[in-house]
Amino acid sequence: MDCRSESATTGQGRFRVNANGKLLDVWLLVRCVSCDRTSKLTVHERTPVTSFDPDELHGYNVNDPNLVAARLLDPLLARRNRFTLDWTGAWRLDSPSAWPDQAWPVQVRVAFEDPVPVRPERLIAQGLGLSRNEVLRRTKCDIPLHRRTSTGFTFTVLAGD
């Protein structure tokens, strides 16, 4: 009977490279968090060895952690293998607990350490302790607040009523 868990981890972040003549198959090994079973995400299938960048091929052979992260963030790999990343709890907005004697409006710059997709309105609401309606009313931003972004942005908070 197959495990019905929808959560997996890369564990130690290992690739499996299999040569078949002059063709290579490359998989990223993942482990189910519930049953501890190993599965494979297809990275390359029946790809000629000559089409690989030597550094990339070396990265697959030595299980380069940066290459593991890059492959997991690749939307084509996710679509092809039918998976989505769980970003629950992967972000926070560090802000002062109070805005003492700040001249309004206040401009805030958001920078991402990792490309975690988040809706700006949720990030701002949680970080500043505002309701999402209040965020929409009191903030001005050059990007849509309701669409996911994973790149830095700046917004301005206007004074409350």
Side-chain angles (χ1 to χ4, degrees):
M1 185 168 179
D2 289 333
C3 178
R4 294 178 183 235
S5 174
E6 295 181 2
S7 297
T9 178
T10 60
Q12 297 176 352
R14 296 196 180 271
F15 289 104
R16 178 165 180 215
V17 180
N18 185 31
N20 184 359
K22 294 182 180 181
L23 303 176
L24 287 182
D25 291 316
V26 179
W27 298 284
L28 178 60
L29 301 178
V30 295
R31 184 173 303 278
C32 175
V33 296
S34 296
C35 70
D36 208 32
R37 237 187 194 154
T38 301
S39 298
K40 302 181 288 188
L41 300 177
T42 302
V43 178
H44 295 284
E45 190 171 35
R46 305 276 189 237
T47 306
V49 175
T50 57
S51 68
F52 283 94
D53 174 49
D55 292 334
E56 179 185 26
L57 187 56
H58 177 71
Y60 290 135
N61 286 316
V62 299
N63 299 309
D64 180 11
N66 292 328
L67 192 55
V68 170
R71 291 302 165 258
L72 282 174
L73 294 172
D74 182 358
L76 295 175
L77 180 74
R79 187 170 39 249
R80 185 174 39 228
N81 287 282
R82 295 181 183 95
F83 76 85
T84 57
L85 297 175
D86 181 6
W87 295 104
T88 305
W91 54 266
R92 73 173 189 273
L93 178 64
D94 294 326
S95 64
S97 57
W99 300 80
D101 301 325
Q102 286 283 343
W104 294 95
V106 176
Q107 189 170 35
V108 180
R109 187 174 74 73
V110 176
F112 290 87
E113 290 180 19
D114 294 310
V116 177
V118 64
R119 285 192 174 105
E121 68 180 342
R122 288 187 64 199
L123 179 75
I124 296 167
Q126 184 176 349
L128 300 181
L130 303 172
S131 71
R132 287 168 70 182
N133 284 334
E134 195 172 6
V135 167
L136 294 174
R137 190 171 38 83
R138 289 185 55 193
T139 59
K140 302 295 180 204
C141 189
D142 290 338
I143 63 169
L145 293 175
H146 61 280
R147 288 201 183 133
R148 290 182 185 264
T149 185
S150 57
T151 59
F153 62 93
T154 302
F155 66 93
T156 303
V157 182
L158 306 173
D161 296 333

